[in-house]
Amino acid sequence: LVDEGLAYGDRLRAAGVAVELELYRGLTHDFIKMGRALKEAGQAQTVAGAALRQAWRDSGAVTSGRL
């Protein structure tokens, strides 16, 4: 799945989409659901949440100060 994810990121970049890529080596593909058991999962959730908040701000989709 890593190769497919990297290729997808490359295609998105080629289409002009901003891409941030974080690799968490040595973990299963569904590790992000294991936030209570794996510190890396909690870190990944934090990184993903921050990226989403920033993207929503940049798009103008967020109008309140909650995000």
Side-chain angles (χ1 to χ4, degrees), residues 23-39:
L23 293 179
Y24 293 84
R25 300 221 181 255
L27 300 168
T28 63
H29 69 275
D30 60 346
F31 85 97
I32 199 165
K33 298 185 286 186
M34 301 176 192
R36 294 183 181 163
L38 298 172
K39 68 176 180 169

Side-chain angles (χ1 to χ4, degrees), residues 9 17 24 66:
V17 176
Y24 293 84
R66 293 181 42 183

Side-chain angles (χ1 to χ4, degrees), residues 1-48:
L1 291 174
V2 172
D3 291 340
E4 289 88 348
L6 293 171
Y8 183 54
D10 290 342
R11 287 193 305 273
L12 288 170
R13 282 188 195 98
V17 176
V19 175
E20 290 184 40
L21 178 65
E22 295 280 338
L23 293 179
Y24 293 84
R25 300 221 181 255
L27 300 168
T28 63
H29 69 275
D30 60 346
F31 85 97
I32 199 165
K33 298 185 286 186
M34 301 176 192
R36 294 183 181 163
L38 298 172
K39 68 176 180 169
E40 296 91 347
Q43 293 167 348
Q45 291 168 355
T46 299
V47 169

